[in-house]
Amino acid sequence: MNQLTLNNGYTIPEIGFGTWKITDKEAAVQSVKEALAAGYRHIDTAAAYENETEVGQAIRESGIKREDLFITSKLWNSERGYESTLEAFEKTLERLGLDYLDLYLIHWPASVHQFENWETINVETWRAMIKLYREGRIRAIGVSNFLPHHLSALMEMEVAPMVNQIEFHPGMTQPETVKYCRENRILVEAWSPLGNGQLLQSEQIKSMAEKYKKSPAQICLRFVLQQGVLPLAKSVQASRIRENLNLYDFRIDEEDMKTLTDMDNVAYSGSHPDKVDF
């Protein structure tokens, strides 16, 4: 699989396997093992997904060397702040059964919607992330769902974010945030690149899938890749897990890319970083 290079020189496989909403314990273990067997080496989880223990079990049972894997987890909102971030990280490592993480993200920014001192909260949280990074406990650090105004204060600190994981799929490409990240050498990752599955039913995407002789999921994932964004593909079906890696033998033409960019945003999650209540 192709590798991308983060702004600190660390490399990351350009397609990841996402585990959001895989809460059934058996399904979580099995799907991650299927993904690893299929060739994924980049696994994305989070404390809030409540499956870190199962992801760790799958990693151990896969027999793949730790150094050949790229493992991401995320800090949940209730754990923001300097000391609580350090404590939450230790719990995440314990659940995963790992000695270090390849990437740790702040799951959502503190925002003015909930906190008057939102920027201070984000800075203190980031200060803890930097400490863990400096200690070698994390190989790369980043954020998730941060908009440019959330990122600006972090950009002034001694270590800048290396990744920003955002909602990104046909119909929702967040151009302002992507532009800001590119200008600041922050890699953009796409959560929900299939629009939480809703895009697989889109007639526009089905039609395009027929044209390219690919599945609707492959169209969505290839669209993300061609934007220079890293997709986090997710499925619990072995055949689809394998299929979602098969993205390198076709290219979507410019006209179709524009169609996918401009299509109605039918798959938006509704979770705006400045409006969420969690």
Side-chain angles (χ1 to χ4, degrees), residues 7-23:
N7 62 29
N8 69 339
Y10 200 59
T11 57
I12 179 172
E14 75 169 348
I15 302 173
F17 182 74
T19 62
W20 183 41
K21 290 190 174 178
I22 309 180
T23 52

Side-chain angles (χ1 to χ4, degrees), residues 131-184:
K131 172 181 166 63
L132 293 165
Y133 172 67
R134 294 283 199 213
E135 292 174 349
R137 312 289 306 286
I138 312 167
R139 302 295 191 255
I141 51 177
V143 297
S144 183
N145 302 299
F146 274 55
L147 303 176
H149 61 275
H150 303 125
L151 283 162
S152 59
L154 306 191
M155 297 307 301
E156 297 174 7
M157 298 178 73
E158 62 267 34
V159 179
M162 293 142 202
V163 168
N164 188 12
Q165 186 181 123
I166 62 174
E167 182 174 2
F168 187 103
H169 48 71
M172 184 173 185
T173 56
Q174 303 207 51
E176 289 182 13
T177 298
V178 172
K179 181 175 183 287
Y180 182 94
C181 288
R182 286 190 177 139
E183 288 171 349
N184 290 283

